[in-house]
Amino acid sequence: MTLLLSRSDLEGLLDPADCVAALRRGFTAAPAEVAPRRTITPLPGPGGATALLPGLVEGVPAYTVKVNAKFPGRRPALRGVVCLHDLDTGELLALLDSATVTAWRTGLAAALGTHALARRDAETLTVIGAGAQSELVVRGLSRLRGVRALTVFDIDAGRAADFARRHGALLGAPASVAPDLRTAVHGAEIVIVATWSRRPLLHAADIAPGTQVTSLGADEPGKSELAADLLKGARVVVDDIPLAVEMGVLANAGLGVEHAAGTLSDLLCGQAPGRVKDSEITVYAPVGLPWQDLAVAWTAYHAAAGAGAGAGGPRGAGVGHTFDFLS
């Protein structure tokens, strides 16, 4: 029977440590035979689009198909469903809220990349864009390293203050709200940028030597958070080099494949170095890979099965749940 897993179901079932472990296994597994491609169709309005993303990962006997729509001016900005299927039979095992799965897989994979590239002694964190993806980066980082100070900047000062209050408590560290971008990044050792920006927010002059910058916004053509001069002077690691050149951080800065130092898989598998020296600026800028949806969905499915959570699918729908995946 198909499980229906809403946002509230997933938040109750998922554990950041379990998901980080599943994502790490995915990054170090043999590459899937299906290329990480997506089909995107624009919708009327600024920035709106639908996306169809298939996901496979070695060692998981299932696959996912995510049907997403983006509405940048709404909260949540992503709406849709992740369909989890049995790999042998095609049986629909579960339907999961895509906004939650996307936030968890993007944020926690970014936490892995950030931790892998940041200096070992880096403990001061700045977050630019206090949304769902930044939430999960901070939660993931809290499981991977200590953070002794948090600074937050968002164009919505109230949202920034709420983020700082909640995550300062999570980290057990002082947290503050910065009045502007430049103040926010001054003195930061780790910078997380997760916005909808279509113009560069940070330039080389804004970032101190030795800083790790993680950019999550350049995940489709036209979106840009980091300027070309910053990327040219940094050691840039991505999740997929062809995608980074086609639609990611390199494409949107007008740069080519020569500016990519490797992928996070290369780093985690020991096939490429991460940070070479403490004084260099490092950048992790993923586009996001469909298999990451599967890693989180499969983790959630097993947690739900063990807990007896989730309403039944088409035949059992309506018993305690509706098809409102944002509940």
Side-chain angles (χ1 to χ4, degrees), residues 36-40 51-54 105 219 243 247 287-290:
R37 291 296 182 264
R38 60 198 64 196
T39 301
I40 297 176
L52 178 65
L53 300 88
R105 62 91 150 164
D219 60 348
L243 281 180
M247 64 174 62
V287 172
L289 304 178

Side-chain angles (χ1 to χ4, degrees), residues 236-309:
V236 179
V237 174
V238 298
D239 51 0
D240 184 88
I241 292 176
L243 281 180
V245 174
E246 176 187 337
M247 64 174 62
V249 67
L250 298 179
N252 295 325
L255 302 177
V257 65
E258 69 276 9
H259 293 282
T263 67
L264 182 55
S265 289
D266 295 333
L267 267 64
L268 296 179
C269 290
Q271 297 171 354
R275 175 177 292 274
V276 175
K277 53 187 178 181
D278 283 349
S279 61
E280 70 183 336
I281 294 171
T282 52
V283 169
Y284 180 54
V287 172
L289 304 178
W291 67 258
Q292 295 165 1
D293 296 319
L294 175 58
V296 171
W298 187 244
T299 301
Y301 178 71
H302 273 274

